[in-house]
Amino acid sequence: MNKKFTLAVFLLFILVSCGTPKDTEDGVRFITDWEYDSPLTEDKSFQCDEIGVHGIRVVDSVIVVNHQSNWSVLSCDGRKKYADFLSIGQGPAEFTYSVANVDFSYFNTENDSLVAYIPNRHRGTIVRANISDLISGGKGSITERSANRSMKKAWATVVCDSTSVFMSLPNDSITGLSKYYCVGDSMERIKATEGEDAVRVQSGANLNLLVAMIGYGKSSGKFVEAKAYLNWINIFSKDCDKLKTICVGDRLFDIGEMDKEGIKYDEGTHLRAAAWDKGFAVTCREGVTDDSQSSDPGKSELRVFDWDGNPVFRSVLPVCADAFDMDWVNRRLIVHDGVNDRVLAFDATPIIERFK
């Protein structure tokens, strides 16, 4: 199919969908107001000295963060560091350019030990690390095994369990991305995303228009895909037939116009996504979807949803939250402030109460 025709078909879908600010037959839900919208209070009991943090995951009673060149395991209050591990290099279980982001890794309890399965994309492998062993002072029992050769060219790789990975792969002309669920070298297209995967941009220079922040809900088996430069969020699973799309605002961004004008890298929409058992959240630039003229680069919006796409909670954070996760036990939202390079926490009780 001609790429201009494919893009025109997708834009027609957008124009039809924009006519009604509610659920449509095409599965798009437009959200223009929030029933629960309030500020969060900083939790001063949380203290963390980590800098240069690229990703945050709260797992069991610890916080795992990644920097560009290693991972660290911290206590739940941020005050104690148990271990640093992973490294850049050419040796076994080392990473070529930068270590993987914790957002894209799978954590599981096996034989009473917390373990992490980490995508080593440039080598096409999965690294397994025993986090409990690291906390106890050991070396983490870090091993590596082959996964899927296509990982080496993937634009996004998310480990879903000890053997399966989700991948977003570019086409040969680098003008589109397709999504796959892979077990070993077996690759299966995700049916729900095939329509969106058919969208083409004019050149590889604009392919980031189709790139997204990905989160995976272990219990729900669902993925959240928040477009980095667009104002919509997709929800799907590997087995579902239809994509569910959320648009915050009364209209979808015009991808055709953005493709013509080129990407303005300082005007991205979504900063990060995080997925949990009960739902998921995204952070985005403040005011980016309401044509605000007073957007503050030092602030961001937290938008929380359940897995059906219902809005749960919204808050303007006084920091640029370019990485975050929820500590459900201690009722903390832990974020990395990308402007001031610090990790801090907010009282998440108002959010958690909304899920009861």
Side-chain angles (χ1 to χ4, degrees):
M1 183 181 291
N2 181 278
K3 68 181 181 182
K4 291 184 179 179
F5 177 75
T6 301
L7 186 56
V9 170
F10 189 68
L11 292 175
L12 177 61
F13 156 74
I14 290 175
L15 292 173
V16 171
S17 299
C18 283
T20 309
K22 59 181 182 179
D23 289 347
T24 72
E25 292 181 359
D26 295 301
V28 179
R29 180 172 188 175
F30 294 87
I31 298 171
T32 55
D33 57 0
W34 298 76
E35 181 179 358
Y36 292 88
D37 184 344
S38 65
L40 298 176
T41 304
E42 185 175 349
D43 182 349
K44 298 291 188 178
S45 67
F46 181 88
Q47 297 290 326
C48 182
D49 295 329
E50 293 295 301
I51 60 174
V53 170
H54 290 202
I56 299 170
R57 283 287 291 273
V58 181
V59 193
D60 292 349
S61 60
V62 297
I63 303 169
V64 185
V65 302
N66 73 275
H67 309 83
Q68 182 176 0
S69 59
N70 69 348
W71 283 23
S72 300
V73 185
L74 313 173
S75 61
C76 62
D77 60 4
R79 295 172 181 268
K80 181 178 180 180
K81 179 184 289 190
Y82 294 113
D84 290 326
F85 67 110
L86 301 184
S87 60
I88 297 174
Q90 299 299 321
E94 290 186 327
F95 293 76
T96 306
Y97 302 108
S98 62
V99 298
N101 195 295
V102 290
D103 292 354
F104 305 144
S105 302
Y106 173 75
F107 294 83
N108 195 37
T109 301
E110 300 174 4
N111 299 321
D112 296 324
S113 291
L114 175 64
V115 298
Y117 291 89
I118 306 158
N120 197 343
R121 188 163 57 87
H122 293 287
R123 292 167 64 113
T125 62
I126 292 177
V127 173
R128 182 185 185 276
N130 188 315
I131 306 297
S132 296
D133 184 46
L134 286 164
I135 294 172
S136 301
K139 296 183 179 180
S141 303
I142 299 174
T143 58
E144 184 178 31
R145 64 171 177 78
S146 298
N148 188 294
R149 287 168 291 182
S150 294
M151 284 173 62
K152 297 179 181 180
K153 62 179 182 178
W155 278 47
T157 303
V158 180
V159 180
C160 302
D161 57 36
S162 60
T163 60
S164 306
V165 296
F166 163 92
M167 290 192 294
S168 181
L169 295 172
N171 59 15
D172 291 340
S173 59
I174 320 295
T175 56
L177 295 170
S178 296
K179 300 169 189 68
Y180 295 85
Y181 190 86
C182 312
V183 181
D185 280 327
S186 173
M187 299 177 60
E188 180 180 353
R189 287 286 300 273
I190 295 180
K191 185 176 181 180
T193 68
E194 288 182 350
E196 184 187 70
D197 291 350
V199 176
R200 299 290 180 265
V201 293
Q202 297 180 68
S203 69
N206 286 340
L207 190 58
N208 278 337
L209 281 174
L210 306 179
V211 167
M213 311 300 159
I214 308 291
Y216 177 67
K218 179 179 175 181
S219 296
S220 67
K222 292 182 179 180
F223 297 90
V224 54
E225 177 193 43
K227 297 296 186 181
Y229 292 92
L230 306 173
N231 66 335
W232 65 81
I233 302 167
N234 294 324
I235 305 170
F236 57 89
S237 68
K238 71 180 183 68
D239 298 320
C240 69
D241 293 329
K242 289 194 68 176
L243 193 70
K244 180 172 289 187
T245 299
I246 303 166
C247 173
V248 178
D250 58 6
R251 61 183 178 83
L252 292 164
F253 286 0
D254 191 330
I255 189 174
E257 288 301 316
M258 297 173 75
D259 188 31
K260 291 177 184 177
E261 295 175 2
I263 296 176
K264 298 177 181 179
Y265 284 97
D266 60 344
E267 295 184 3
T269 301
H270 292 106
L271 301 171
R272 195 59 65 91
W276 312 302
D277 290 347
K278 296 181 179 181
F280 64 90
V282 298
T283 52
C284 63
R285 291 192 300 116
E286 183 203 12
V288 71
T289 55
D290 59 9
D291 297 322
S292 172
Q293 299 300 311
S294 60
S295 180
D296 184 342
K299 295 182 179 181
S300 57
E301 291 184 21
L302 175 76
R303 297 167 177 175
V304 185
F305 304 86
D306 65 22
W307 281 114
D308 290 323
N310 298 309
V312 173
F313 191 89
R314 173 186 175 273
S315 184
V316 175
L317 301 175
V319 298
C320 176
D322 61 357
F324 72 98
D325 200 10
M326 185 90 79
D327 182 343
W328 291 81
V329 174
N330 296 291
R331 293 176 169 248
R332 293 188 180 111
L333 177 74
I334 301 171
V335 307
H336 177 253
D337 174 359
V339 172
N340 298 297
D341 193 10
R342 59 184 181 135
V343 179
L344 67 163
F346 297 91
D347 180 6
T349 299
I351 302 172
I352 293 173
E353 290 296 317
R354 288 284 294 127
F355 279 105
K356 288 187 175 179

